[in-house]
């Protein structure tokens, strides 16, 4: 049986897409046991994702996530 190595974790703050969560985008926060901890870009509770189902966000996904982050901050008066 051939075992595959888990992917290398990205740098903290990297925007990632959790394909097991329907394409949910989160900011990589760190490693939690066998999982990666991701946090929603608009804030909120972190969730754990299996690394094999996580990929880096594409440019358009990053742009949308950054816009969502800015919009969330502006409605809270945090510009």
């Amino acid at each position: 049986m051939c075992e595959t190595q888990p992917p290398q974790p990205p740098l903290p703050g990297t925007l990632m897409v959790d394909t097991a969560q329907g394409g949910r985008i989160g900011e990589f926060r760190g490693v939690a046991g066998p999982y990666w901890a991701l946090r929603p870009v608009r804030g909120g509770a972190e969730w754990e994702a299996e690394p094999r189902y996580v990929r880096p966000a594409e440019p358009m996904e990053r742009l949308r996530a950054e816009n969502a982050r800015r919009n969330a901050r502006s409605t809270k008066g945090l510009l």
Side-chain angles (χ1 to χ4, degrees), residues 13-75:
T14 302
L15 293 178
M16 306 297 287
V17 177
D18 185 350
T19 61
Q21 293 284 323
R24 189 175 181 191
I25 297 176
E27 182 180 289
F28 178 77
R29 305 295 285 180
V31 177
Y35 302 102
W36 287 358
L38 302 176
R39 183 175 184 272
V41 293
R42 294 182 186 190
E46 293 181 356
W47 78 93
E48 293 180 347
E50 290 187 49
R52 64 184 172 156
Y53 296 119
V54 178
R55 64 169 174 78
E58 296 176 358
M60 186 57 73
E61 293 168 323
R62 287 195 306 270
L63 180 61
R64 286 186 190 130
E66 289 296 334
N67 282 337
R69 179 184 295 164
R70 286 188 177 96
N71 287 339
R73 289 176 61 93
S74 70
T75 60

